[in-house]
Amino acid sequence: MKYMDYDVVHKRIGNRIFKNKLIKNIFLLSTLFSLLVLGILIYRVVVDSIGWLDWQFLTSKLSMSADRAGIKGVIAGTLWLMAVVAPITMFLGIGTAIYLEEYAKRGKFQAFIQTNISNLAGVPSVIFGLLGLTVFGRMFNLGSSILAGGLTMSLLVLPIVVVASQEAIRAVPGFLREASYGMGATKWQTTKNIVLPAALPGILTGVILALSRAIGETAPLVVLGIPALIMPVPDHIMDDFTALPMQIYYWTVDSVLTVEYANLAAATIVVLLLVLFVMNSIAIIIRNKFQKRY
């Protein structure tokens, strides 16, 4: 009979504990390094925005003079853009996820659609800008209007909403569906009254995070030809507009010639970060609220 060699066992346990601590410390250092870089960036942006980010900056229109420039029209254009993106993304994204998970038959066609949606989620945003320029800007003659920008951004974030909604619907326990069918409910009644309420936290979280990405994207708007000129505040979806990321981009480029534009860009970045922080906080609040309910 072969007995256990306690010296070998003790040595192996010691090696495993050492490896565990080493990997743990490596991950900790990676996290701290990332936080350090993020902290430095935020610090620089906040410092550069001091003295420029005030009420006058938020309520004034764009101007050739850096001292009088504001982002009232930029904020309005961003809100108009989200007013187009949000309903289109929610309706098409959630509807597609419901069809694929609850109604589509498992087979080659369903797998083909699923694969393409997953691939679209990884396509560079500039490609969607080229698509939006070709289809919405030129084919439908929408130019650089709010509607063209909103439709382009909707295409960009639609795969994200579909995938997030599918994961949320897929996570609903099967016995809830079976209990509903056992009570005589139809497919749509079960989906509407059982599946969607249970999947709502994940769906809404995915939607808001997707909108957060849309509000911070620049490349599709640059390709679409969205200007950053001195223009009136947009009144409807067919007006030309500019958005926060676009204005940050142009002010950053122009800071080579006029140093003060770098401060304007920093102040606009702070506003954009605050908007993203609020949207992400709303996503967390909604998720926690509905998780307690369902």
Side-chain angles (χ1 to χ4, degrees):
M1 183 174 181
K2 186 177 181 180
Y3 294 96
M4 182 182 297
D5 190 339
Y6 289 99
D7 292 334
V8 175
V9 172
H10 182 73
K11 183 178 179 180
R12 289 181 178 178
I13 292 177
N15 290 335
R16 291 178 180 178
I17 294 175
F18 172 76
K19 291 179 180 178
N20 180 69
K21 290 183 179 179
L22 178 62
I23 294 175
K24 178 182 177 181
N25 291 330
I26 291 174
F27 290 159
L28 177 61
L29 290 175
S30 300
T31 303
L32 293 177
F33 178 76
S34 301
L35 292 176
L36 177 63
V37 174
L38 178 62
I40 293 174
L41 290 175
I42 294 178
Y43 172 77
R44 287 298 307 273
V45 169
V46 172
V47 169
D48 290 343
S49 67
I50 294 177
W52 296 83
L53 181 56
D54 51 21
W55 185 249
Q56 183 269 338
F57 177 73
L58 297 175
T59 57
S60 299
K61 298 180 181 180
L62 294 173
S63 173
M64 295 296 293
S65 174
D67 296 334
R68 295 180 304 197
I71 56 173
K72 177 182 179 181
V74 181
I75 294 175
T78 303
L79 295 177
W80 272 106
L81 182 66
M82 290 299 102
V84 175
V85 174
I88 294 176
T89 302
M90 292 181 65
F91 180 77
L92 293 180
I94 298 174
T96 302
I98 292 174
Y99 171 76
L100 292 175
E101 291 299 319
E102 299 295 326
Y103 291 95
K105 295 181 179 180
R106 297 295 183 266
K108 293 183 178 180
F109 179 70
Q110 192 267 353
F112 174 78
I113 296 177
Q114 186 67 55
T115 301
N116 281 276
I117 291 175
S118 301
N119 289 335
L120 285 174
V123 172
S125 58
V126 67
I127 304 300
F128 288 97
L130 293 171
L131 177 62
L133 175 64
T134 303
V135 177
F136 305 124
R138 295 177 178 175
M139 184 180 299
F140 292 105
N141 199 28
L142 296 178
S144 56
S145 64
I146 294 173
L147 182 58
L151 292 174
T152 302
M153 286 299 187
S154 298
L155 292 178
L156 172 64
V157 300
L158 191 59
I160 302 175
V161 176
V162 174
V163 173
S165 300
Q166 281 186 275
E167 293 295 333
I169 294 173
R170 199 176 298 145
V172 177
F175 67 83
L176 294 178
R177 296 179 176 86
E178 295 171 0
S180 178
Y181 295 145
M183 295 296 292
T186 63
K187 185 77 171 179
W188 171 241
Q189 288 174 331
T190 300
T191 302
K192 181 182 67 172
N193 299 323
I194 304 298
V195 176
L196 284 181
L200 198 58
I203 292 175
L204 292 180
T205 301
V207 169
I208 295 177
L209 293 179
L211 294 179
S212 298
R213 181 188 175 185
I215 203 174
E217 282 288 348
T218 307
L221 299 180
V222 172
V223 176
L224 196 59
I226 303 301
L229 305 174
I230 302 175
M231 60 179 63
V233 177
D235 294 325
H236 53 82
I237 60 175
M238 296 308 298
D239 283 346
D240 288 343
F241 77 107
T242 188
L244 288 171
M246 284 295 301
Q247 199 59 49
I248 293 170
Y249 169 75
Y250 278 110
W251 270 338
T252 303
V253 173
D254 292 340
S255 65
V256 177
L257 301 176
T258 305
V259 179
E260 289 78 8
Y261 283 153
N263 300 102
L264 294 176
T268 310
I269 291 173
V270 172
V271 174
L272 181 58
L273 288 176
L274 290 175
V275 172
L276 294 176
F277 176 78
V278 170
M279 294 182 68
N280 292 334
S281 300
I282 292 173
I284 295 173
I285 293 172
I286 290 175
R287 182 182 60 197
N288 294 337
K289 178 180 178 181
F290 283 98
Q291 278 179 341
K292 294 178 180 179
R293 179 178 299 181
Y294 299 104

